[in-house]
Amino acid sequence: MKQQLLIVDAYNMIGNWPELNRLKQSDRLPDARDELLNVLTEYKKITGLNISVIFDAMYVPGNSKRYRQADLEIVWTSKNQTADSYIEKYAADQQSRVMQVTVATSDQAEQWVIFSEGALRIPALELRKRVHEALKEVRHTAVRSQDLGSVRKSPWDAQQLSALDQYRQQLEREHSKHHH
C-alpha cells in the first residue's frame, strides 16, 4: 500500500473554514494559524497520515523556514515564492509509485497542475468535514469506552443486577400496599 502525504495549503484553509476565517477577519490571524495546526495535529494522530502544512510568506515576510511541530511538517515559503508554486513543486517531487500525494486546496488553478502530476486534490471544506468527522468519531469511541469501563467496574454481574432490580420492585410494591 502506498504511503499517504497530505499537503495543506494553510491560508486557503483559513480563508475557507468559517471558524478560522472569523479569527482572520477579527485580526487574529496567528490564532487562526494555531487553531489550524492544533486541529491538523489531532487529525494526524487519528489517521496516521503524513501532513505538510504550507504557509505563504505574504502574511509573514521573512526567510523560508521548514521544521517539524507536533509531528507535522511546517513550511513557510520565502517572500519570493507563493505557497501555490511551492505546493505544485513539492507535490510533483513527492508523488511516486510508493507515495500518494493529496493536496488540500480550493484553488482551482492549482488543482490542474496537481492533477497533471498524478496527485489528488481535496477541497478545503471537504478536508474540514473529514477532520471534524474523525474527531467526532474518536470522541464518541472515547465516551463508549468510558461507559464500558464504568460497567466493568461494577461488582455485580447481570444476574445479580436483575435480582436486585426484582427485589427493589418488590419493596416498592410492599411500600405502596402499606401506605394505601
Side-chain angles (χ1 to χ4, degrees):
M1 190 172 147
K2 282 188 173 186
Q3 283 193 335
Q4 303 285 316
L5 171 63
L6 176 65
I7 300 174
V8 178
D9 184 345
Y11 286 124
N12 192 273
M13 298 305 113
I14 290 172
N16 283 287
W17 291 18
E19 64 276 19
L20 300 179
N21 196 30
R22 270 193 296 277
L23 289 171
K24 180 186 168 196
Q25 296 301 321
S26 56
D27 288 331
R28 296 173 56 198
L29 188 55
D31 292 339
R33 284 193 295 258
D34 288 347
E35 182 59 25
L36 177 64
L37 293 177
N38 288 339
V39 169
L40 290 175
T41 299
E42 292 303 309
Y43 188 59
K44 156 110 182 126
K45 285 182 196 166
I46 296 165
T47 61
L49 287 172
N50 297 307
I51 300 178
S52 295
V53 186
I54 315 303
F55 289 99
D56 202 307
M58 72 179 183
Y59 293 106
V60 183
N63 294 326
S64 67
K65 284 186 273 185
R66 184 184 191 135
Y67 55 96
R68 293 198 76 79
Q69 175 182 319
D71 217 18
L72 299 176
E73 179 183 39
I74 314 290
V75 176
W76 290 84
T77 64
S78 65
K79 69 176 182 181
N80 298 322
Q81 184 177 35
T82 64
D84 290 355
S85 64
Y86 182 91
I87 288 169
E88 289 161 8
K89 184 176 182 333
Y90 188 53
D93 289 349
Q94 294 297 310
Q95 177 67 33
S96 71
R97 262 189 270 147
V98 293
M99 177 71 80
Q100 177 61 57
V101 174
T102 302
V103 177
T105 183
S106 288
D107 186 320
Q108 295 293 319
E110 199 174 330
Q111 137 179 346
W112 293 110
V113 176
I114 293 161
F115 283 151
S116 72
E117 299 297 340
L120 303 173
R121 183 188 75 104
I122 177 174
L125 289 177
E126 178 62 27
L127 177 63
R128 179 178 180 266
K129 185 177 160 197
R130 287 186 192 179
V131 166
H132 286 198
E133 283 174 358
L135 295 176
K136 192 172 152 189
E137 177 60 28
V138 164
R139 285 190 198 110
H140 182 72
T141 303
V143 167
R144 212 175 331 138
S145 299
Q146 222 169 30
D147 289 348
L148 285 173
S150 63
V151 169
R152 257 185 256 120
K153 286 177 195 153
S154 169
W156 314 103
D157 65 27
Q159 200 173 12
Q160 290 170 319
L161 288 172
S162 175
L164 283 170
D165 190 50
Q166 286 173 6
Y167 183 61
R168 181 187 55 78
Q169 289 173 14
Q170 181 187 339
L171 289 175
E172 282 176 2
R173 280 192 299 272
E174 287 174 13
H175 180 76
S176 62
K177 272 187 209 167
H178 291 297
H179 290 88
H180 290 278

